[in-house]
């Protein structure tokens, strides 16, 4: 059976998660800020209508926010991650073949199940009702024979009320499909960025329909085989399969800015120990080990000459939090310069390989020691998944953490923290 893709996208995801637990945010302009409350990373429709741009530094918008009573929230990633997992669990009930594309978007192959629900539009509405009832989140659904067309259909479902949140591209007539393609700009196509949009427009290709009418050989020769495949997908030829399993990362980066300038070595080491624990969790999640760690310290962001970094080879490839922590603490000690006010610290793990296939050291600790370490790390991960991040952590990562990033407007972690559960009175 040929695949038929559905793209399910949560509308204004971060803001919608906040509104589930705080109904007072409905109908008012809301923005969510990045780490350290620096930039705008999510906006409600009301905030978009005020002209608040994505990625704008918040300090430049405070007067505007005050005039229009914009509600400001710090990022609450634990809440967003948990709500995303709940949506994915619902989607798996409808169709087992699913690709979690991002925190708020998932592709499904609904070819085997859409007839059971009475067609694509009926299935999309059933998905919307179930997700809204079980999580409180609003979603839009685009359905089509290719992933790129499903993205386009989702774009239409989100922006045009006549679709009522669901657009089944295959249910439209050829004339309707051509008309809609003519109304959507080429810059809205999945995978066509700002620079490529300008190049296409300079050649007279301003709409999705214009790109579809361009010859495949011309697109491949003038641009790339990737753009040629995008055009094929828009013409209905599926070139992108559902990716049920994410490819293991070749590098892992963990980096955060400090809530205030840091001048003490001990505080730098605490931050890097916290990053090492998070990086080790990511390694274990994809069953990889790292052979190299690069430690990076930033004294003044955006200025040259104020960044110090150094790579260190590990004695043996590992995913053990303790060994990685020891390596980054030693690295911080070698890079530290007294008198510098550090604003950011991070690390990069590279030389990744599969845990079961890595080359062992000549003076290996032995299979027994490796098994004990693996069991200990598994227990740590299980406890932190059950009771929340950092429930069990190394003392090297600090207790008070005065350097931690600012999140002065963060809402409670309603679904992942016992002390912050919502109370009904």
């Amino acid at each position: 059976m040929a695949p038929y893709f559905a793209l399910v996208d949560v509308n204004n995801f971060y803001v919608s998660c906040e509104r589930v637990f705080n109904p007072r945010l409905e109908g008012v302009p809301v923005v969510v800020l990045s780490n350290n409350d620096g930039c705008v990373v999510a906006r409600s429709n009301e905030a978009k209508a005020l002209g608040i741009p994505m990625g704008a530094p918040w300090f430049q918008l405070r007067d505007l926010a005050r005039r229009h009573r914009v509600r400001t929230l710090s990022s609450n990633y634990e809440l967003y991650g948990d709500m995303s997992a709940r949506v994915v669990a619902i989607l798996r009930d409808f169709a087992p073949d699913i690709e979690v594309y991002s925190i708020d978007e998932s592709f499904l192959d609904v070819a085997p199940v859409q007839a059971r629900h009475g067609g694509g539009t009926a299935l999309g509405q059933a998905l919307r009702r179930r997700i809204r009832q079980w999580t409180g989140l609003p979603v839009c659904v685009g359905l089509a024979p290719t992933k790129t067309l499903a993205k386009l259909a989702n774009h239409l479902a989100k922006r045009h009320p006549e679709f009522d949140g669901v657009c089944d591209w295959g249910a439209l007539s050829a004339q309707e499909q051509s008309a809609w393609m003519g109304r959507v700009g080429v810059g809205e196509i999945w995978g066509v960025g700002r620079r490529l949009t300008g190049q296409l427009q300079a050649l007279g290709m301003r709409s999705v329909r214009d790109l579809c009418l361009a010859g495949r050989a011309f697109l491949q020769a003038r641009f790339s085989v990737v753009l040629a495949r995008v055009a094929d997908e828009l013409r209905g030829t599926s070139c992108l399969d559902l990716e049920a399993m994410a490819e293991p990362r070749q590098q892992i980066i963990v980096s955060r800015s400090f809530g205030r300038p840091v001048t003490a070595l001990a505080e730098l080491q605490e931050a890097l120990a916290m990053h090492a624990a998070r990086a080790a969790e990511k390694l274990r999640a994809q069953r990889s080990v790292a052979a190299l760690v690069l430690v990076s310290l930033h004294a003044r962001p955006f200025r040259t000459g104020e960044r110090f970094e150094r790579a260190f080879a590990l004695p043996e490839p590992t995913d053990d939090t303790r060994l990685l922590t020891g390596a980054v603490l030693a690295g911080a000690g070698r890079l530290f310069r007294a008198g510098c006010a550090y604003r950011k610290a991070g690390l990069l793990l590279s030389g990744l390989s599969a845990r079961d296939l890595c080359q062992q050291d000549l003076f290996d600790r032995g299979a027994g020691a490796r098994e004990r370490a693996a069991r200990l790390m598994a227990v740590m991960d299980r406890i932190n998944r059950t009771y929340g991040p950092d429930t069990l952590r190394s003392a090297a990562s600090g207790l008070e953490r005065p350097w931690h990033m600012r999140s002065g407007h963060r809402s409670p972690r309603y679904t992942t923290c016992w002390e912050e559960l919502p109370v009904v009175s």
Side-chain angles (χ1 to χ4, degrees), residues 8 13 63 109 135 153 167 212 270 274 315 354 356 396:
V8 181
F13 179 61
D63 291 339
D109 181 4
T135 69
C167 176
C212 287
E270 287 180 358
M274 183 183 73
D356 299 330

Side-chain angles (χ1 to χ4, degrees), residues 24 69 75 128 138 140 235 239 253 261 277-280 294 300 332 364 369 385 387:
R24 294 186 182 89
R69 298 184 179 180
S75 296
R128 295 186 74 220
C140 285
R235 289 188 284 262
C239 304
I253 301 173
R278 181 70 186 116
L294 183 143
R300 290 188 180 182
D364 191 288
R385 280 196 304 269
Y387 298 103

Side-chain angles (χ1 to χ4, degrees), residues 316 360-367 370:
E316 62 180 275
Q360 300 299 324
D361 187 83
L362 178 63
F363 304 102
D364 191 288
R365 295 173 293 165
R370 290 198 305 274

Side-chain angles (χ1 to χ4, degrees), residues 277-293:
R278 181 70 186 116
E281 288 176 359
K282 293 183 177 182
L283 272 178
R284 295 191 289 270
Q286 67 175 36
R287 300 183 63 81
S288 297
V289 291
L292 190 75
V293 57

